Amino acid sequence: MLSASPLPTQTSKRHKSVIAKTITILGSTGSVGCSTIDLIERNRDLYKVVALTANRNVAALAAQARKLKVELAVVADETCKADLEDALRGTGIEVAAGQSGLIEAANREAQWVMAAIVGAAGLAPTLAAVRRGAEIALANKECLVCAGDYFMQEVARHKATLLPVDSEHNAIFQVLERQHPEQIEKIILTASGGPFREKTTEFMEKATPEQAVAHPKWDMGAKISVDSATLMNKGLELIEAYHLFPVDVEQLDVVVHPESIVHSMVDYKDGSVLAQLGSPDMRIPIAYMLAWPHRMATPVPRLSLTEIGSLTFEAPDYKRFPALALAREAMRMGGVMPTILNAANEIAVEAFLNRRIGFSDIARNVEAALTTLRRDFPQNGAQSAADLAAIEEIDHLARKNAAEWVQKHAS
Ligand code: NDP
């Protein structure tokens, strides 16, 4: 009897797929990290967690490490190491700290690595996991923004597998006909529009950190929440998509979709548009990548389109949200410009969260860094970001420039 069938049999419908994986989570105490652990805890027989990392949140990290009985727990901030050792004494769990500790966690023999450290701080540890050919569930978009060409070269060289976790890129990953890139007309990223979608420029000038992080649809860490309010997040995602998918800069579009149900779309040349829909809950894209190439059950509320009633779409307003225009421009220029954009944005967001500069100053600071540093890089520094050390140097330069801007403009 022929056994190969493209359709599920009754037997395969009843049985769970075998998807056992060993796992490391870089940034386990954050929003994405905690959602990943939530899914793993519901499937403890399928996943073995090897290593976890955090920055300073010792209490949460120690609790996760004990619960999941991991081999290694790492704090990036070396001053927290003694506290972590105290919290894990008697458990047999190894403790490490600092950059070398993060790299050690990434190097542990885990098949699947969740890259969920926020910001460019995630680049070196994620690259370490790439270089041993692991499956990388990539939440940290800043890796691809600040080092896209180099990062993708390393992925190819070490035969690592990139699994996009960001909900928009995950949606595209689900509907993209990878074998036939010539059939793609456009990739359309959807944006919720953030908390200030309907606010005036005058309102945003005075907006507080509390207002900026109050995202209407997604529950996320502070940095990405502010990026969503400025729409810089969508700009970073354009650059991320440019590196992940086989399209040119001009084939990438953004459409504002406040309900956050359609998570992105691929427009094919025959006029078909394929989209992925779901409730705005990061456990859906994380689950897709955890179970990949299968699917797993999640506790996420089912989508009821009849309850939602209508889905709306509008064009982004590049005037009110200049950060999106800056990111698009940096993507077009290429070279070191996205590295500068990302570094200046990280400094500016931190300064805004610390109430040193205003909300609208974030884009001003980024624009100043791009304008000033562009002069130092003929042809946008196309040859200047050839390895990690060179990228880190440019990142450092841009941070210094942005910090000086903050110093000058702090209220
Ligand atoms: P959070 O701020 O919630 O968590 C960040 C994690 O990184 C924490 O574990 C934090 O540790 C750790 N961390 C912070 N700074 C450092 C550092 N300097 N060195 C090492 N570790 C550090 O972020 P999110 O989970 O919201 O986002 C993580 C990444 O995923 C970001 O790149 C974001 O853009 C991306 N992403 C997030 C989504 C979301 O829904 N949250 C959606 C799509 C993408 P500690 O707790 O100790 O501070």
Side-chain angles (χ1 to χ4, degrees):
M1 190 179 121
L2 288 174
S3 59
S5 162
L7 298 173
T9 62
Q10 286 306 323
T11 317
S12 63
K13 276 186 202 168
R14 274 196 302 271
H15 283 80
K16 255 186 171 179
S17 310
V18 178
I19 49 173
K21 279 178 187 165
T22 47
I23 288 180
T24 282
I25 306 174
L26 305 171
S28 65
T29 50
S31 162
V32 171
C34 290
S35 293
T36 309
I37 290 179
D38 177 79
L39 292 166
I40 290 171
E41 284 191 301
R42 294 166 196 273
N43 296 275
R44 287 290 287 273
D45 50 334
L46 296 175
Y47 301 109
K48 164 83 186 104
V49 182
V50 175
L52 298 175
T53 80
N55 187 25
R56 297 179 51 85
N57 192 343
V58 169
L61 177 64
Q64 292 175 339
R66 281 173 179 270
K67 205 161 42 177
L68 296 168
K69 298 186 171 53
V70 304
E71 288 172 18
L72 173 68
V74 178
V75 270
D77 187 328
E78 310 223 11
T79 64
C80 299
K81 188 179 181 198
D83 286 346
L84 186 61
E85 281 168 344
D86 284 347
L88 292 176
R89 185 150 296 125
T91 60
I93 297 169
E94 293 168 62
V95 168
Q99 181 78 351
S100 61
L102 294 175
I103 304 286
E104 191 183 340
N107 278 335
R108 283 284 157 113
E109 223 19 80
Q111 177 189 348
W112 191 93
V113 176
M114 167 56 81
I117 291 174
V118 61
L123 176 60
T126 307
L127 271 174
V130 163
R131 288 181 183 135
R132 62 174 182 78
E135 287 175 8
I136 313 291
L138 190 71
N140 176 302
K141 63 196 83 187
E142 294 92 343
C143 273
L144 281 179
V145 177
C146 76
D149 291 336
Y150 176 69
F151 189 91
M152 294 308 287
Q153 278 165 25
E154 290 294 280
V155 167
R157 187 148 80 95
H158 298 281
K159 299 190 171 52
T161 305
L162 266 195
L163 304 171
V165 170
D166 216 349
S167 59
E168 295 75 5
H169 307 75
N170 186 270
I172 295 160
F173 187 75
Q174 294 197 38
V175 299
L176 191 75
E177 289 173 18
R178 211 166 303 274
Q179 311 309 327
H180 300 287
E182 74 287 354
Q183 298 181 4
I184 303 167
E185 188 94 14
K186 264 191 177 156
I187 284 181
I188 304 161
L189 301 182
T190 51
S192 70
F196 301 153
R197 181 174 66 88
E198 295 178 302
K199 302 295 186 198
T200 60
T201 307
E202 292 71 35
F203 176 94
M204 286 190 268
E205 202 66 65
K206 296 197 175 91
T208 63
E210 289 74 18
Q211 290 168 324
V213 300
H215 198 280
K217 292 289 171 192
W218 296 94
D219 184 11
M220 309 180 288
K223 193 263 178 181
I224 183 175
S225 295
V226 175
D227 285 346
S228 298
T230 57
L231 289 204
M232 178 61 88
N233 184 48
K234 212 45 57 184
L236 302 181
E237 287 179 5
L238 282 172
I239 301 171
E240 182 184 10
Y242 171 71
H243 289 292
L244 285 174
F245 305 118
V247 288
D248 289 332
V249 168
E250 302 309 329
Q251 286 175 285
L252 288 164
D253 253 359
V254 173
V255 65
V256 175
H257 165 49
E259 295 82 10
S260 295
I261 297 297
V262 177
H263 295 303
S264 281
M265 303 169 247
V266 181
D267 185 349
Y268 288 97
K269 69 179 184 190
D270 63 359
S272 297
V273 179
L274 268 59
Q276 182 258 354
L277 281 69
S279 303
D281 187 320
M282 279 306 290
R283 286 176 299 180
I284 296 177
I286 296 169
Y288 186 64
M289 301 294 53
L290 253 181
W292 184 83
H294 305 273
R295 287 186 189 266
M296 68 196 282
T298 72
V300 175
R302 299 293 95 174
L303 186 63
S304 168
L305 288 175
T306 50
E307 258 173 47
I308 294 163
S310 62
L311 298 176
T312 56
F313 302 91
E314 61 199 40
D317 184 337
Y318 286 90
K319 279 223 170 73
R320 267 187 313 133
F321 297 98
L324 179 57
L326 289 171
R328 231 191 204 297
E329 190 51 22
M331 173 172 72
R332 274 201 197 99
M333 290 192 281
V336 301
M337 293 301 138
T339 317
I340 294 168
L341 173 99
N342 182 67
N345 182 55
E346 286 191 30
I347 294 295
V349 170
E350 196 187 352
F352 167 67
L353 286 170
N354 291 331
R355 299 178 204 280
R356 299 192 66 209
I357 60 172
F359 179 79
S360 307
D361 288 333
I362 297 173
R364 289 188 192 112
N365 191 340
V366 173
E367 185 172 12
L370 287 169
T371 310
T372 310
L373 296 176
R374 192 178 180 182
R375 295 181 208 128
D376 298 341
F377 293 98
Q379 287 154 358
N380 302 324
Q383 307 303 323
S384 303
D387 59 31
L388 184 56
I391 292 161
E392 284 176 343
E393 202 174 304
I394 293 156
D395 175 273
H396 179 75
L397 197 65
R399 277 169 205 272
K400 191 164 160 278
N401 189 286
E404 283 165 8
W405 194 96
V406 169
Q407 197 68 31
K408 221 189 276 170
H409 295 83
S411 45

